[in-house]
Amino acid sequence: MLVNNNTQAVSTVQQIKRPDMDPANAAASTLYSGALQAAQQSVTVPAAQKELDKASDRIDEAFAKTRVQLQATTAAPVASTDVAATGSTTSTARTEFNEYMSKTPAERIREQLLKEQGLTEEAVQAMPKEKQDAIAKEVAQRLKDQQEQQVAAKTTDPQAQAVKETLAAI
């Protein structure tokens, strides 16, 4: 309560109205908390449940340790490959990729054809001229077919091609 002691002013009393200060709420809260504590103490957890909880905790701990170890082992090889990549030699995969990308489409098709037939460039060079010409004609035919397929794909559905180009640009 607040009281004004000023003689000129009328004495006013203000009461603070808060729901948690209500005596009925305070009594109910006390009874509820006491009943809740009594109920928690009276309920006993079976021994089997306690063992399951302990096992679950051990599993969680093992999982966390494994995760930390995996993160540590994956971080180490990345560092070693960075060192190798910055050195004078590049990785073989990168070299192979660069070599493949530097080839013309005809060279790629020829390489694929020779691989399908189980031949090497040296074996083709040792073949008679007629067989070499047959391989060259097959490469030319496949290259022509590939170009026709690309043109057909562009001309058949311009909207689909526009969507593909847009997605490729993304």
Side-chain angles (χ1 to χ4, degrees), residues 11-30:
S11 216
T12 58
V13 177
Q14 288 184 335
Q15 277 189 326
I16 299 175
K17 294 279 186 177
R18 287 182 33 192
D20 61 339
M21 298 304 269
D22 182 28
N25 283 345
S29 176
T30 305

Side-chain angles (χ1 to χ4, degrees), residues 138-165:
E138 179 66 26
V139 170
Q141 182 62 39
R142 286 189 183 189
L143 184 59
K144 182 180 174 186
D145 292 343
Q146 183 182 29
Q147 289 173 346
E148 288 175 356
Q149 288 175 353
Q150 289 174 350
V151 169
K154 287 183 180 179
T155 58
T156 56
D157 192 3
Q159 288 180 338
Q161 184 60 29
V163 170
K164 287 180 185 177
E165 289 174 358

